[in-house]
Amino acid sequence: RSHPAPQDRSHPAPQDRSHLAPRDRSHPAPRGGPATRSCRGGVYPRPTSRQAATLSGVRRPLALGFVAILALGCAGCPTPAKTTVEPTPTASPSAGESVTPLATLGPIASPTREKTGAGPMPLGHPNPEDGIPGTDRLRTLALTLGSSKLEVWVADTRASRQLGLMHVKSMPESSGMLFVYPASAQRAFWMENTYVPLSLAYVRSDGTIDQILDMEPFSRRTHPSSGVIRLVLEVNQGWFARHKVQVGDKIPGIEGLIGY
């Protein structure tokens, strides 16, 4: 009564399918066969070779005609002129610009080193940090104060006012510097990088001396004007006293000068 042998329940071997060709899963051709072209709106027949040749023959003359029209139109166009860009000079303060007492600080006779956002110096004019004077680049003007004569350098641009008399080692007795501003305002000077002891006169627009001050070499002390002035005259220290020039005197010939 032994139990019969167990039935073989193992799974049969998988059928060999290698002989079968793989199924073609590519998308079927659009309806209508190769002679048609599908579009979103429907299926349209492809043009025949004769129709395609006709379209090509029409398109080529149209394209050539369009090119010819463009060529004729451009032939009458003027050739743009070559423009030369001039360098922009350093901007000077506008007539209505508000200037604080420290806005025109400068070394002694060359005082006016403007402390508030002074721009770069124009080409050809030294910077205050270069250690060289700039008087040889300035024009001169002959002045008469009472019975005394003066020959002064005219600093009428922002760059020349910033440098002033800085780095000038000596100055003749009858020489000086006249600072000319675009507009009247309160000003202040100092003596940084200035070797020569100076006397300074703050002058109103009409040429009248409003204030006279003495300044010492290399001093960083500021000397603000007591009023609104447009011109500043710097001379060797004590020159005004030696030549009897006082506050209230008028300097002729400078009221028409223009600052930039």
Side-chain angles (χ1 to χ4, degrees):
R1 297 188 181 272
S2 60
H3 294 285
Q7 297 180 12
D8 184 9
R9 300 180 181 274
S10 60
H11 295 284
Q15 296 180 12
D16 184 9
R17 299 176 181 272
S18 59
H19 63 283
L20 297 178
R23 293 179 58 187
D24 184 8
R25 298 182 180 275
S26 59
H27 293 286
R31 288 185 304 165
T36 61
R37 180 176 53 184
S38 62
C39 186
R40 289 186 179 181
V43 178
Y44 301 94
R46 293 181 181 274
T48 64
S49 58
R50 180 177 296 180
Q51 290 173 337
T54 302
L55 290 174
S56 176
V58 172
R59 288 170 183 165
R60 184 174 294 113
L62 287 176
L64 293 176
F66 183 70
V67 172
I69 292 172
L70 287 178
L72 290 174
C74 292
C77 297
T79 303
K82 181 183 291 186
T83 57
T84 302
V85 180
E86 298 294 338
T88 303
T90 302
S92 59
S94 60
E97 180 182 8
S98 175
V99 183
T100 61
L102 297 182
T104 54
L105 295 180
I108 169 174
S110 68
T112 53
R113 166 131 183 157
E114 297 170 284
K115 281 193 167 180
T116 54
M121 293 287 185
L123 295 177
H125 203 95
N127 289 288
E129 296 82 4
D130 292 341
I132 57 176
T135 51
D136 59 338
R137 294 168 172 81
L138 302 177
R139 67 185 179 96
T140 59
L141 178 68
L143 299 180
T144 300
L145 287 80
S147 59
S148 302
K149 305 288 186 181
L150 266 180
E151 185 174 5
V152 297
W153 293 288
V154 179
D156 55 4
T157 64
R158 188 175 187 182
S160 60
R161 291 191 298 266
Q162 286 176 341
L163 186 60
L165 289 174
M166 286 185 181
H167 311 298
V168 174
K169 300 298 177 64
S170 63
M171 188 168 62
E173 171 67 13
S174 297
S175 296
M177 180 170 283
L178 180 66
F179 297 80
V180 184
Y181 288 88
S184 297
Q186 190 177 12
R187 310 286 175 184
F189 278 58
W190 65 359
M191 293 287 282
E192 183 177 6
N193 297 327
T194 305
Y195 291 78
V196 183
L198 298 175
S199 291
L200 172 150
Y202 285 123
V203 185
R204 295 196 289 266
S205 288
D206 62 356
T208 302
I209 296 177
D210 187 69
Q211 189 179 358
I212 294 176
L213 302 169
D214 289 336
M215 301 187 298
E216 300 302 323
F218 301 104
S219 173
R220 295 178 63 87
R221 175 192 171 193
T222 60
H223 299 267
S225 64
S226 59
V228 173
I229 54 94
R230 195 176 71 84
L231 304 109
V232 179
L233 177 60
E234 290 183 331
V235 294
N236 284 293
Q237 193 174 94
W239 189 93
F240 294 120
R242 289 191 292 272
H243 294 269
K244 306 292 191 292
V245 177
Q246 303 174 355
V247 172
D249 290 350
K250 192 166 185 177
I251 306 174
I254 64 172
E255 60 273 9
L257 296 177
I258 299 174
Y260 302 95

